[in-house]
Amino acid sequence: MKEYKYTINGTKYEVAVGDIEENIVTVTVNGEDFKVELEMPAEPEKKKPVLGKPAAATASADESGEAEKAPINKNNAIKAPLPGVITDIKVNVGDEVQAGDTVVVLEAMKMANNLQAEKGGKVTAICVKIGESVMEDDALVVIE
């Protein structure tokens, strides 16, 4: 049995909490016994793991109905500098970009971060979609 002493609005209470049987506990407050029914905690929602193809492959297969294309060379990709959520994609596949152009907006720690092209070139692949969570060093946009 655990015992506690409380002072609430100047009134002192001595509380003893007895054993819990199922969801009923005996509580003694200033010598008077009470039977207290505990609420059962809600079952946590079980999230299903997401399995399947990378976002870019899923998007291209869904939109065009074509089979999965050749693997993407992610060596030339702009990578996420920190974990966050993609809030905007400023380019499309085939666009020409210059060094310093904003290509993706990544929200991290409640701040929007404009991610810029490190070099000029042509956008050959977009590896993410708006609303997708990314981890540090995930490939975002490939520029060659």
Side-chain angles (χ1 to χ4, degrees), residues 13-24:
Y13 297 94
E14 291 185 20
V15 179
V17 179
D19 295 327
I20 299 172
E21 295 177 23
E22 291 184 25
N23 66 331
I24 305 292

Side-chain angles (χ1 to χ4, degrees), residues 75-117:
N75 293 333
N76 296 326
I78 295 173
K79 297 185 178 174
L82 65 166
V85 176
I86 303 299
T87 58
D88 197 8
I89 299 172
K90 302 280 190 182
V91 294
N92 294 307
V93 174
D95 288 356
E96 291 288 334
V97 295
Q98 301 298 318
D101 288 352
T102 299
V103 293
V104 175
V105 179
L106 174 72
E107 182 180 312
M109 297 182 288
K110 299 186 180 183
M111 292 182 59
N113 299 282
N114 292 329
L115 303 182
Q116 300 172 341

